[in-house]
Amino acid sequence: MVLKVTPRTPGADASGLYRRPRIVLQPKNVEDIPAILGKPKTYPTPVRAVGADYSQTRCVGGDGGTTIDMGTLDKILEFGENTVRAQAGVRVGTLVRALTERGLELPLTPEIGQISLGALAVATLPQASHTVGVAQMSSCVTELKLITPQGKQMTVTERNRDLMRVLKSSFGLLGLVHEIVLRVRPLTPVKMEYQDLSLKEFAARFAAIIEAPGALRLHISPFNDRVTVERRTLDEAMGASRSGMWQIRNSVMRNVLPAFGSTVGSVLSAPGLRTAVVSGVQRALRATLDRAARGVVLYAHELMRDLPQEAWKSRYTYSLWAFPQADFPRLLGEYFAFCKAYFKEHRYRCNVVNGASRLHQDRGSLFSVSYSGPMFTLEPSSTGDKGWDDFLIDFNDFASGLGGTPTFNQTRALQPEHVAKAFGDRAKLFRALRQRTDPMNRLHNSYFSHLLG
Ligand SMILES: Cc1cc2nc3c(=O)[nH]c(=O)nc-3n(C[C@H](O)[C@H](O)[C@H](O)COP(=O)(O)OP(=O)(O)OC[C@H]3O[C@@H](n4cnc5c(N)ncnc54)[C@H](O)[C@@H]3O)c2cc1C
């Protein structure tokens, strides 16, 4: 039996276009899904899956159709030595905590816990990576079970590499995923070290920075001309006791993290601080770096945070493009100049420290942003204040012009020409496959129709 719930916001927007679904359904069992797909008169097209609804774009896109909220399929089914099997509605934070209790973790741990496993398998979620081949969350997936647009059950494993690659970029357009198997490994301590550099210093040391082992996350302040390099090295040999770890963890939470990811939530939740975010965060960043200079050790899951229950309440928003690693210092120089020129002309600048992650090459999914080689993301971030939307329109042209690659779920205000330029034949291949597998467009929405045809 499916449960019908009221859409979270009303139907049509000012333009008269239906942005929201007419019906939202919560399946109790997997068997409910083929029944929904088979009744277009009762359950209007498009049928779209929604996980946590945290994407930065309209990729879920209800369009006056039927949205299936996968959150009710929320069971972790089986823990193995090297894998875990779970339903699509399980949140990654829930899974990561359950794995931790068993001394296990995912090969990549995202920084927010809300992401649903269904979205993790089919959307683009790049993460600061340690090795070639594992730079996107979907690369942790070894098996998928889905219901096709025709209502058929399908199981796909790593043995069918080509099909996996397409499904891992399918955004609910080729089927609704209900069960996932993910690779796991023993919990491994991570050593975190920081270097605070000017852009010039960053460029001069770039070759050494990318040569040394470890995952790289950058914290970028265009107006202060600073790039803080955060290096996360897996420390398999480290024998720190659990209590020792907790001491270190507490000091990280108190002294270091407030300056990075978690700042965003804490700084923004204080009333009246919104306008002080830029300078406040950047000052905090510098003040805490000395204390972190010797490096701290923690487990990856301790970096994970939970955003508010509803995405729109987080008051923190960002957009994401990726650029080839080889040219990244030059690209950053151009970005700093772009930000300064934009501010001069429009009096707008991003009011949250910008992030970036180094991605190793990963061909595990068709729309992987590091499909062609190693990349760095660039993530302008803001509280979504006045001027942000216009800034992104110009930033997108800047990014596309310099050979950037966007995502469908984390790059805002994307246009078809950006997609065609970045993905070329990969976009054409996906379009042809989608048309063949879903000729009635049962799962197709206006967002993807606009961007991919
Ligand atoms: C403030 C904020 C901060 C964030 N920070 C980070 C971060 O640091 N790192 C990070 O990796 N992400 C981050 N994200 C999340 C990122 O934006 C993801 O795009 C998003 O959360 C994906 O997970 P979801 O469950 O919300 O997917 P949804 O938005 O619900 O869905 C994404 C796409 O997947 C499809 N889909 C969902 N479930 C299924 C299914 N079962 N079968 C088929 N298709 C399905 C949907 O139709 C849609 O096209 C952040 C998001 C916000 C709002």
Side-chain angles (χ1 to χ4, degrees), residues 103-245:
L104 298 170
E105 66 183 6
L106 299 172
L108 292 172
T109 302
E111 286 176 26
I112 70 158
Q114 272 91 350
I115 304 169
S116 66
L117 296 188
L120 178 153
V122 300
T124 308
L125 294 169
Q127 308 290 325
S129 59
H130 290 271
T131 49
V132 171
V134 193
Q136 284 212 150
M137 290 307 300
S138 61
S139 295
C140 307
V141 173
T142 63
E143 182 185 318
L144 286 176
K145 284 192 178 172
L146 67 148
I147 312 287
T148 68
Q150 291 72 30
K152 298 229 161 57
Q153 283 268 5
M154 192 172 174
T155 301
V156 186
T157 67
E158 280 186 309
R159 260 170 287 153
N160 199 336
R161 193 182 290 247
D162 288 342
L163 183 52
M164 263 303 208
R165 183 176 286 146
V166 175
L167 288 172
K168 285 179 179 180
S169 281
S170 60
F171 292 92
L173 295 166
L174 304 181
L176 285 89
V177 173
H178 62 87
E179 200 175 299
I180 293 127
V181 177
L182 296 126
R183 205 172 281 117
V184 298
R185 66 170 185 214
L187 268 179
T188 309
V190 183
K191 185 168 186 214
M192 306 201 24
E193 291 160 295
Y194 299 90
Q195 265 178 300
D196 184 31
L197 305 170
S198 67
L199 178 60
K200 203 167 162 201
E201 290 165 336
F202 176 75
R205 296 184 202 182
F206 188 66
I209 289 172
I210 57 172
E211 268 305 300
L216 297 172
R217 180 87 185 141
L218 309 180
H219 307 273
I220 298 164
S221 309
F223 289 89
N224 292 340
D225 189 37
R226 304 308 290 180
V227 181
T228 302
V229 180
E230 178 182 313
R231 182 179 299 283
R232 305 171 181 176
T233 322
L234 292 177
D235 201 343
E236 272 141 291
M238 223 209 53
S241 71
R242 187 65 195 149
S243 60
M245 282 295 229

Side-chain angles (χ1 to χ4, degrees), residues 35-50:
I36 296 166
L37 284 165
K39 288 187 196 147
K41 285 204 178 124
T42 317
Y43 302 118
T45 295
V47 176
R48 299 293 301 152
V50 66

Side-chain angles (χ1 to χ4, degrees), residues 355-427:
S357 296
R358 190 262 300 268
L359 311 174
H360 289 82
Q361 185 169 31
D362 183 349
R363 289 177 173 256
S365 67
L366 199 61
F367 295 137
S368 158
V369 290
S370 59
Y371 193 90
S372 316
M375 305 284 270
F376 269 86
T377 63
L378 181 56
E379 303 159 28
S381 305
S382 121
T383 52
D385 53 338
K386 195 163 172 288
W388 167 241
D389 289 335
D390 287 344
F391 171 83
L392 287 181
I393 290 170
D394 286 15
F395 173 68
N396 280 355
D397 289 339
F398 162 85
S400 181
L402 290 175
T405 305
T407 71
F408 293 98
N409 53 317
Q410 302 197 65
T411 311
R412 298 163 67 96
L414 203 53
Q415 293 300 325
E417 54 272 23
H418 302 140
V419 172
K421 181 164 184 227
F423 296 112
D425 287 345
R426 281 184 278 155

Side-chain angles (χ1 to χ4, degrees), residues 134 236 268 283 289 298 340 376 438 451:
V134 193
E236 272 141 291
L268 299 189
R283 261 200 310 276
L289 280 168
L298 73 167
K340 285 172 190 159
F376 269 86
D438 185 15
L451 292 178

